[in-house]
Amino acid sequence: MAKKGFINEFKEFISRGNVMDMAVGVIIGGAFSSIVTSLTTDIISPIIGIVGGTNFDTLCVNLFGEVTLYYGKFLTAVVNFLLISLIIFLMIKAMNTLQEKAAKLTHQKKEESAVPVDKTCPYCQMTIPIAAKRCGHCTSVLEEETTAEVLS
Protein backbone atom coordinates (compact mmCIF):
# COMPACT_ATOMS: atom_id res chain seq x y z
CA MET A 1 0.00 0.00 0.00
CA ALA A 2 2.88 2.34 0.78
CA LYS A 3 4.29 1.70 -2.66
CA LYS A 4 1.12 2.98 -4.38
CA GLY A 5 1.18 6.08 -2.19
CA PHE A 6 4.78 6.74 -3.13
CA ILE A 7 4.10 6.25 -6.83
CA ASN A 8 1.06 8.53 -6.69
CA GLU A 9 3.07 11.18 -4.83
CA PHE A 10 5.79 10.92 -7.47
CA LYS A 11 3.23 11.27 -10.30
CA GLU A 12 1.74 14.31 -8.57
CA PHE A 13 5.21 15.83 -8.13
CA ILE A 14 6.15 15.26 -11.78
CA SER A 15 2.87 16.61 -13.12
CA ARG A 16 3.17 19.92 -11.27
CA GLY A 17 3.53 22.92 -13.55
CA ASN A 18 6.78 24.21 -12.08
CA VAL A 19 8.55 20.85 -12.56
CA MET A 20 7.40 20.70 -16.18
CA ASP A 21 8.45 24.32 -16.74
CA MET A 22 11.86 23.55 -15.28
CA ALA A 23 12.25 20.49 -17.55
CA VAL A 24 11.35 22.55 -20.62
CA GLY A 25 13.80 25.24 -19.48
CA VAL A 26 16.62 22.71 -19.12
CA ILE A 27 15.94 21.26 -22.56
CA ILE A 28 15.77 24.68 -24.20
CA GLY A 29 18.87 25.75 -22.25
CA GLY A 30 20.77 22.75 -23.62
CA ALA A 31 19.73 23.55 -27.17
CA PHE A 32 20.56 27.23 -26.65
CA SER A 33 23.95 26.28 -25.22
CA SER A 34 24.80 24.24 -28.31
CA ILE A 35 23.84 27.20 -30.53
CA VAL A 36 26.09 29.56 -28.57
CA THR A 37 28.88 26.99 -28.55
CA SER A 38 28.60 26.72 -32.33
CA LEU A 39 28.58 30.52 -32.61
CA THR A 40 31.76 30.73 -30.54
CA THR A 41 33.56 27.76 -32.09
CA ASP A 42 32.54 28.18 -35.71
CA ILE A 43 32.27 31.97 -36.07
CA ILE A 44 33.88 33.98 -33.28
CA SER A 45 37.01 31.86 -32.73
CA PRO A 46 37.99 31.85 -36.44
CA ILE A 47 37.47 35.63 -36.62
CA ILE A 48 39.65 36.09 -33.53
CA GLY A 49 42.11 33.68 -35.16
CA ILE A 50 42.28 35.90 -38.24
CA VAL A 51 42.85 39.01 -36.13
CA GLY A 52 45.05 37.38 -33.52
CA GLY A 53 46.74 34.89 -35.81
CA THR A 54 45.62 31.77 -33.90
CA ASN A 55 42.60 29.62 -33.15
CA PHE A 56 41.81 29.13 -29.46
CA ASP A 57 40.95 25.45 -29.85
CA THR A 58 44.44 24.59 -31.03
CA LEU A 59 46.22 26.30 -28.13
CA CYS A 60 47.81 23.69 -25.89
CA VAL A 61 50.84 22.95 -23.77
CA ASN A 62 52.66 19.61 -23.60
CA LEU A 63 53.81 18.62 -20.13
CA PHE A 64 56.49 15.96 -19.87
CA GLY A 65 55.69 14.76 -23.39
CA GLU A 66 52.72 12.66 -22.23
CA VAL A 67 50.23 15.18 -20.81
CA THR A 68 48.67 17.87 -22.99
CA LEU A 69 46.75 20.80 -21.53
CA TYR A 70 44.25 22.22 -24.01
CA TYR A 71 43.88 25.67 -22.49
CA GLY A 72 42.50 27.00 -25.78
CA LYS A 73 39.40 24.85 -25.37
CA PHE A 74 39.04 26.25 -21.87
CA LEU A 75 39.24 29.80 -23.27
CA THR A 76 36.54 28.86 -25.78
CA ALA A 77 34.35 27.57 -22.92
CA VAL A 78 34.90 30.86 -21.04
CA VAL A 79 33.88 32.85 -24.12
CA ASN A 80 30.80 30.59 -24.49
CA PHE A 81 29.87 31.26 -20.87
CA LEU A 82 30.30 35.01 -21.28
CA LEU A 83 28.19 35.05 -24.45
CA ILE A 84 25.43 32.96 -22.86
CA SER A 85 25.46 35.24 -19.79
CA LEU A 86 25.30 38.36 -21.96
CA ILE A 87 22.43 37.04 -24.06
CA ILE A 88 20.47 35.95 -20.97
CA PHE A 89 21.11 39.35 -19.37
CA LEU A 90 19.82 41.14 -22.48
CA MET A 91 16.74 38.91 -22.64
CA ILE A 92 15.91 39.49 -18.96
CA LYS A 93 16.53 43.22 -19.35
CA ALA A 94 14.14 43.33 -22.32
CA MET A 95 11.50 41.33 -20.41
CA ASN A 96 11.82 43.65 -17.39
CA THR A 97 11.43 46.69 -19.63
CA LEU A 98 8.29 45.21 -21.19
CA GLN A 99 6.89 44.38 -17.73
CA GLU A 100 7.57 47.94 -16.53
CA LYS A 101 5.79 49.38 -19.58
CA ALA A 102 2.84 47.02 -19.01
CA ALA A 103 2.71 48.03 -15.34
CA LYS A 104 2.73 51.73 -16.29
CA LEU A 105 -0.12 51.16 -18.77
CA THR A 106 -2.11 49.27 -16.14
CA HIS A 107 -1.46 52.02 -13.59
CA GLN A 108 -2.46 54.67 -16.14
CA LYS A 109 -5.69 52.83 -16.95
CA LYS A 110 -6.47 52.61 -13.22
CA GLU A 111 -5.90 56.36 -12.88
CA GLU A 112 -8.15 57.03 -15.88
CA SER A 113 -10.87 54.87 -14.40
CA ALA A 114 -10.58 56.83 -11.13
CA VAL A 115 -12.03 59.90 -12.88
CA PRO A 116 -15.67 60.16 -11.79
CA VAL A 117 -18.28 59.36 -14.43
CA ASP A 118 -21.31 59.87 -12.19
CA LYS A 119 -22.54 62.49 -9.76
CA THR A 120 -25.35 62.74 -7.25
CA CYS A 121 -28.35 64.95 -7.85
CA PRO A 122 -28.43 67.52 -5.01
CA TYR A 123 -32.26 67.41 -4.95
CA CYS A 124 -33.20 63.72 -5.06
CA GLN A 125 -29.78 62.15 -4.25
CA MET A 126 -29.96 59.78 -7.25
CA THR A 127 -26.89 58.95 -9.34
CA ILE A 128 -26.81 60.63 -12.72
CA PRO A 129 -24.18 61.04 -15.49
CA ILE A 130 -21.56 63.67 -14.69
CA ALA A 131 -22.33 65.76 -17.79
CA ALA A 132 -26.09 65.88 -17.09
CA LYS A 133 -27.66 69.33 -16.88
CA ARG A 134 -31.03 68.00 -15.72
CA CYS A 135 -31.74 65.06 -13.38
CA GLY A 136 -33.33 62.11 -15.16
CA HIS A 137 -35.14 61.08 -11.99
CA CYS A 138 -36.63 64.28 -10.53
CA THR A 139 -36.17 66.44 -13.66
CA SER A 140 -34.54 69.20 -11.62
CA VAL A 141 -32.36 71.64 -13.53
CA LEU A 142 -28.82 71.32 -12.20
CA GLU A 143 -26.78 74.44 -11.63
CA GLU A 144 -23.63 74.86 -13.72
CA GLU A 145 -21.53 75.31 -10.55
CA THR A 146 -22.48 71.83 -9.33
CA THR A 147 -21.45 70.29 -12.62
CA ALA A 148 -18.21 72.31 -12.73
CA GLU A 149 -17.35 71.35 -9.13
CA VAL A 150 -17.77 67.65 -9.83
CA LEU A 151 -15.69 67.83 -13.02
CA SER A 152 -12.75 69.57 -11.34
Side-chain angles (χ1 to χ4, degrees):
M1 196 72 178
K3 206 173 199 184
K4 279 195 168 194
F6 177 78
I7 291 173
N8 286 336
E9 277 185 60
F10 183 70
K11 284 181 183 178
E12 188 178 319
F13 171 75
I14 289 299
S15 64
R16 286 185 189 158
N18 55 359
V19 173
M20 298 305 284
D21 291 343
M22 185 179 71
V24 170
V26 168
I27 292 168
I28 290 174
F32 185 71
S33 175
S34 65
I35 290 171
V36 174
T37 300
S38 175
L39 172 70
T40 306
T41 305
D42 301 330
I43 296 174
I44 294 176
S45 290
I47 291 173
I48 292 174
I50 291 171
V51 174
T54 184
N55 187 353
F56 282 153
D57 287 340
T58 60
L59 298 176
C60 62
V61 171
N62 288 327
L63 301 175
F64 309 112
E66 296 178 14
V67 178
T68 304
L69 297 177
Y70 293 97
Y71 67 92
K73 290 183 179 183
F74 174 74
L75 291 175
T76 300
V78 169
V79 171
N80 286 344
F81 171 76
L82 293 174
L83 284 174
I84 290 171
S85 300
L86 175 66
I87 291 170
I88 289 173
F89 169 76
L90 292 174
M91 288 172 53
I92 290 174
K93 187 171 175 66
M95 286 179 15
N96 287 342
T97 302
L98 288 175
Q99 285 178 345
E100 287 174 8
K101 287 182 180 180
K104 283 181 182 177
L105 284 175
T106 303
H107 181 69
Q108 188 177 30
K109 284 182 181 178
K110 285 181 182 177
E111 284 180 353
E112 288 173 2
S113 66
V115 174
V117 293
D118 294 330
K119 63 182 176 181
T120 303
C121 174
Y123 303 104
C124 67
Q125 301 301 310
M126 297 297 290
T127 303
I128 56 175
I130 199 161
K133 299 194 188 286
R134 183 177 282 257
C135 178
H137 303 282
C138 68
T139 66
S140 297
V141 178
L142 302 174
E143 298 175 17
E144 289 295 321
E145 293 176 6
T146 309
T147 306
E149 287 174 9
V150 175
L151 286 174
S152 58

